[in-house]
Amino acid sequence: MELKIIPRSSDILPVNHNVTAVNYIECVSYNGQYRQYGKDKITPDLISKILNDVPKGIEVSLCLDSDGEEYYGCMEVVSDGKWLSLCYGYEDTKTYFSYNPMFSDTVGQLKEMDLGDENVYTPIDYDGQSPIPKFQAITDMDAGVKAVRYFIYTGKLYPGIEWAYYL
């Protein structure tokens, strides 16, 4: 598999804050409570809370379809307050993830599969899943919040950060 990078761009279209592209949200709060929000429950207050929690630590799925399935697209947002992983996928197509060029030298080390290697993997604990590689997580929380906001309102990847996928 070959890693493809989508470079950041300054061509960022304006966002209409009156309409959300996200139609379903699943969120795990700090105390482990699981919450689901359908389109009618996705309010400016909920969006504000999610965006406020991104730099503090959050685990949330932002889905474009109303059932929370990945058929039309879903972005997983996982943060521990220092690292932020953004992962977007739909149907059986490519999975896009936030890309951190500061750790591009660790891409080849994934083949060694030492999941405890702190030089390669973030400390993010994502629902018992495999650790998240550092090159797939960013530390610029301001840019991360912008990326999450952009996705909520447009359903598209934020061009102000780098993204990557495997071909």
Side-chain angles (χ1 to χ4, degrees):
M1 291 192 311
E2 181 183 353
L3 183 69
K4 293 291 190 179
I5 310 299
I6 302 170
R8 94 179 65 215
S9 171
S10 59
D11 295 332
I12 302 170
L13 298 174
V15 172
N16 178 353
H17 290 95
N18 296 317
V19 179
T20 61
V22 168
N23 290 302
Y24 182 85
I25 296 175
E26 291 181 357
C27 188
V28 177
S29 66
Y30 301 115
N31 58 7
Q33 291 181 332
Y34 174 77
R35 300 199 192 276
Q36 299 171 312
Y37 304 92
K39 181 71 171 173
D40 60 330
K41 301 288 184 189
I42 300 174
T43 64
D45 286 342
L46 176 62
I47 293 169
S48 179
K49 179 172 177 19
I50 289 170
L51 296 175
N52 187 51
D53 287 348
V54 167
K56 296 176 183 175
I58 193 169
E59 185 177 316
V60 66
S61 296
L62 307 169
C63 301
L64 300 179
D65 65 81
S66 59
D67 296 327
E69 301 295 327
E70 291 187 15
Y71 184 75
Y72 294 109
C74 192
M75 179 177 283
E76 302 290 330
V77 179
V78 184
S79 168
D80 68 355
K82 182 178 177 188
W83 293 92
L84 171 62
S85 170
L86 304 172
C87 183
Y88 172 74
Y90 62 95
E91 290 183 7
D92 295 326
T93 62
K94 297 178 195 98
T95 299
Y96 298 85
F97 48 85
S98 49
Y99 178 71
N100 190 334
M102 291 178 55
F103 294 95
S104 61
D105 61 331
T106 65
V107 173
Q109 296 175 33
L110 292 182
K111 293 177 185 173
E112 298 169 14
M113 294 303 289
D114 179 1
L115 300 178
D117 189 341
E118 294 176 2
N119 294 314
V120 178
Y121 293 97
T122 70
I124 296 175
D125 179 20
Y126 176 46
D127 200 25
Q129 301 289 325
S130 297
I132 297 169
K134 287 184 175 180
F135 75 89
Q136 292 182 7
I138 60 175
T139 55
D140 182 344
M141 291 296 170
D142 290 336
V145 169
K146 290 177 184 177
V148 173
R149 178 184 294 118
Y150 193 84
F151 185 80
I152 288 172
Y153 289 107
T154 68
K156 299 184 184 320
L157 299 179
Y158 178 63
I161 66 170
E162 292 178 84
W163 296 90
Y165 63 94
Y166 283 103
L167 188 60

